[in-house]
Amino acid sequence: MWLVAGAHMHDEHEQLAVRAAAGDRAALDALLAAIQPSVLRRCARFLPCYQDAEEACQDVLMQVARNIGGFEGRSRFSTWLHVVIANGARQTYRTLKRRAAEQGYAEIPVEVPDARTTSVIAGSRLDLLDALEKLESTRPELVAPMVLRDICQLEYREIAGHLGIPEGTVKSRVHQARGQVRGYLLAGL
């Protein structure tokens, strides 16, 4: 039952996205309201602090509203949205790092005393974002395939369709990216 409801909701988002891309303002408003909870959940996969995830979520919703006209329906809206979320969360992280540096912090201050949101998981997610930044500066073509596969958990076939490259190339790039990122993490960046 739950899977059927989830699939139905997914199809509804796809239909709203197509109408919104064609300029239907009411469809865009309905789409943004419908996706907001899942966008926030997905941003939280990248950013351990709830306020940071909320900031990224708002940025993603603005990007969707601003760029929905560019959604051409070649890939599923959900795939397009994953890319916007991944880029939005990473951009928010860059902004937070820059703000922390401007305020004289060596690292982003995580002001959440709750051990469930700090701890190893929070640290490892921030380390991963740092590693992705480093990877982007040396091998930018490897970042999107890894983010879409390992963080957004998309299928290789879906990633290949979205990026317009063969599935074998996606697998190769994910493999290379994992090796590079693992090296950065083991070396302590």
Side-chain angles (χ1 to χ4, degrees):
M1 174 63 195
W2 182 83
L3 286 173
V4 173
H8 172 71
M9 207 168 70
H10 204 66
D11 290 342
E12 191 178 309
H13 292 176
E14 299 291 330
Q15 291 167 7
L16 284 172
V18 169
R19 289 182 17 224
D24 182 335
R25 184 70 204 184
L28 176 60
D29 291 342
L31 178 66
L32 294 174
I35 65 174
Q36 193 269 341
S38 72
V39 168
L40 180 57
R41 250 190 338 274
R42 289 183 185 143
C43 286
R45 282 186 188 167
F46 289 89
L47 299 161
C49 180
Y50 185 75
Q51 292 92 325
D52 299 344
E54 269 191 325
E55 185 175 326
C57 176
Q58 291 310 311
D59 290 346
V60 166
L61 294 175
M62 279 184 7
Q63 289 298 322
V64 170
R66 197 175 297 136
N67 298 314
I68 191 70
F71 171 65
E72 299 166 352
R74 281 194 324 250
S75 63
R76 296 177 59 86
F77 171 72
S78 57
T79 304
W80 184 82
L81 181 60
H82 274 300
V83 175
V84 176
I85 291 169
N87 290 339
R90 291 176 58 231
Q91 185 57 50
T92 298
Y93 180 67
R94 284 187 200 111
T95 302
L96 292 168
K97 261 189 100 153
R98 193 177 59 246
R99 269 189 229 150
E102 286 165 2
Q103 293 167 10
Y105 293 106
E107 295 177 5
I108 295 178
V110 178
E111 298 167 7
V112 185
D114 185 341
R116 290 170 304 174
T117 53
T118 54
S119 82
V120 177
I121 292 170
S124 65
R125 273 190 275 180
L126 296 180
D127 290 345
L128 176 60
L129 288 167
D130 280 334
L132 288 171
E133 292 299 300
K134 193 165 183 174
L135 182 62
E136 188 154 47
S137 70
T138 58
R139 301 286 307 279
E141 75 281 4
L142 301 182
V143 175
M146 182 181 173
V147 166
L148 294 173
R149 179 70 187 148
D150 291 349
I151 299 175
C152 299
Q153 298 168 339
L154 298 184
E155 298 296 324
Y156 287 112
R157 179 182 34 78
E158 205 171 351
I159 298 166
H162 181 77
L163 296 177
I165 58 177
E167 195 171 327
T169 304
V170 171
K171 288 178 180 178
S172 170
R173 288 182 181 176
V174 168
H175 178 75
Q176 290 174 55
R178 286 174 179 162
Q180 293 271 304
V181 166
R182 190 177 305 114
Y184 296 148
L185 293 173
L186 290 173
L189 302 171

